[in-house]
Amino acid sequence: MWNFGGSKSLLRVLSILCCTVPNGASHAEENWNLEALLSQFATTGKHRYHYKETKHVAFLSDPLQSEGILSFEMPNILEKQVTHPNKEQFRIVGDKLYIKKSGKQERQVYLSNYPEFLALVEGLRATFSGNRLELTKYYRLHL
């Protein structure tokens, strides 16, 4: 059985992707609602965001910081590229997660073996595709 040592990292990646709002979306806009948000996502086939992440770990005196690029490409590609401090790549295509770390051989994981992650991935894909019906399979929606 695969030891999913990077599951916390993957969960962070997916959480960050889920919380990203397309440029131009603002709660202050009149008529801004869930439909408007999903509509903005649906009109763009590719999403690409630069990010900076700070992790606070109880047993470390200083926070861990990283940065890179988060991206989505319709219909089913999610990716996190860490550019600093160490190069890493987490790429999800269909049911496969590809993990590349500097100086190490690429690993592959089938998400169907991890249904809790597959549900999160499918929810993210539905969000970035603007697919409300698919999204309601995994979440109760309100804004």
Side-chain angles (χ1 to χ4, degrees):
M1 181 173 211
W2 175 272
N3 179 1
F4 208 124
S7 64
K8 287 183 183 179
S9 181
L10 176 61
L11 185 56
R12 271 190 224 100
V13 170
L14 299 176
S15 297
I16 290 168
L17 279 171
C18 190
C19 295
T20 306
V21 176
N23 289 337
S26 166
H27 292 286
E29 288 182 26
E30 193 173 323
N31 300 325
W32 193 84
N33 56 31
L34 184 61
E35 298 307 321
L37 176 63
L38 292 175
S39 174
Q40 281 188 318
F41 278 123
T43 59
T44 307
K46 293 183 180 182
H47 302 276
R48 185 176 170 95
Y49 305 98
H50 292 273
Y51 75 91
K52 290 187 179 182
E53 179 181 25
T54 302
K55 300 179 217 174
H56 297 274
V57 181
F59 60 87
L60 296 176
S61 58
D62 294 327
L64 300 172
Q65 298 184 350
S66 66
E67 59 185 85
I69 300 168
L70 300 170
S71 60
F72 171 77
E73 185 175 338
M74 285 188 187
N76 64 4
I77 300 172
L78 289 168
E79 185 172 7
K80 176 183 179 181
Q81 293 179 347
V82 180
T83 57
H84 178 77
N86 301 311
K87 290 189 177 188
E88 297 177 326
Q89 181 183 34
F90 301 88
R91 183 174 174 86
I92 301 171
V93 180
D95 180 43
K96 285 186 184 176
L97 166 64
Y98 300 90
I99 303 169
K100 284 186 193 176
K101 295 188 178 191
S102 295
K104 296 187 178 181
Q105 186 174 4
E106 180 179 85
R107 295 184 292 170
Q108 294 180 17
V109 177
Y110 286 93
L111 293 177
S112 55
N113 293 331
Y114 301 90
E116 64 280 3
F117 288 115
L118 184 58
L120 185 56
V121 167
E122 292 301 334
L124 289 168
R125 288 177 179 154
T127 300
F128 282 120
S129 300
N131 187 336
R132 182 185 180 118
L133 183 62
E134 185 70 16
L135 195 54
T136 59
K137 290 180 183 179
Y138 305 100
Y139 302 99
R140 281 178 290 168
L141 305 178
H142 68 278
L143 186 61

